[in-house]
Amino acid sequence: MKKVLQAILMSIAMAFTLFCLIGVYMDFAFRGQMAFTHYRFTKMVIGALFIGIGFGAPTFVYQSERLPHPIKALIHMGMGLTVYLAVAFFEGWIDGAHFWLQLFVQVGTCFVIYLGFVLYYRHQAKTLNQALQKKKH
C-alpha cells in the first residue's frame, strides 16, 4: 500500500509539473493572451490531479507476481489513459479542429513517459543484478 501511495504522489507531482510546463509553453504560443474565466484554471488543476491519480493508482498491478508484465502494462496504461482522455475531453485539451494530431501527441507523450520509467527501472534492475553477481563471486 505504501508503494502505491508513493506512486500516486509521484504521479501527481509529475502531472502538475507537466501541466505547468505545458501552460508556460501555451502562454508563449498564444502570446500572453490566454484567459481563464469561470474557474477554468482551477478545473484544469483538478483535472491534472485526477490524471496523476489515474496513472499512479494502477501501479498496484506491478505488485502481482501472477500477471505477466505486458498485462500489467496494459492495465496500468489502459486505466491511466482512460482517466487522461476523459479529463482531456472535458477540459477541451483535445478539440475538433486538430483532433487526431492532438490525440496522437498527447497519448504519445504518455507512452514516452512510460517508456522512460521502463528504461529507468530496467537499468536499476540490471545494476542490482550486477551487484549481486559480484557478491556471489
Side-chain angles (χ1 to χ4, degrees):
M1 185 63 174
K2 183 179 176 184
K3 286 184 179 184
V4 174
L5 184 59
Q6 287 175 332
I8 290 170
L9 292 175
M10 188 166 110
S11 187
I12 289 170
M14 183 178 290
F16 282 158
T17 300
L18 287 172
F19 173 73
C20 290
L21 292 174
I22 292 167
V24 168
Y25 169 78
M26 296 300 289
D27 196 33
F28 277 104
F30 287 109
R31 295 184 163 84
Q33 299 300 312
M34 289 180 18
F36 296 111
T37 57
H38 305 291
Y39 302 101
R40 179 138 172 80
F41 181 78
T42 302
K43 290 175 187 175
M44 291 195 317
V45 168
I46 292 168
L49 174 68
F50 279 115
I51 290 168
I53 294 168
F55 276 104
T59 60
F60 72 88
V61 299
Y62 296 106
Q63 312 246 335
S64 171
E65 295 292 327
R66 296 186 316 217
L67 292 173
H69 189 74
I71 299 298
K72 294 175 188 179
L74 184 65
I75 292 168
H76 178 209
M77 290 302 286
M79 291 174 76
L81 284 173
T82 299
V83 172
Y84 177 81
L85 291 173
V87 170
F89 285 116
F90 179 78
E91 294 297 337
W93 297 341
I94 299 176
D95 61 14
H98 301 96
F99 175 82
W100 292 109
L101 177 63
Q102 291 169 335
L103 185 67
F104 176 76
V105 168
Q106 293 181 31
V107 170
T109 301
C110 293
F111 276 100
V112 167
I113 292 168
Y114 179 77
L115 179 63
F117 275 99
V118 167
L119 295 175
Y120 171 77
Y121 286 118
R122 274 194 189 155
H123 177 73
Q124 290 290 91
K126 184 178 178 182
T127 303
L128 288 171
N129 285 335
Q130 287 174 344
L132 288 172
Q133 291 300 323
K134 284 182 181 178
K135 278 191 168 188
K136 279 185 177 180
H137 299 316

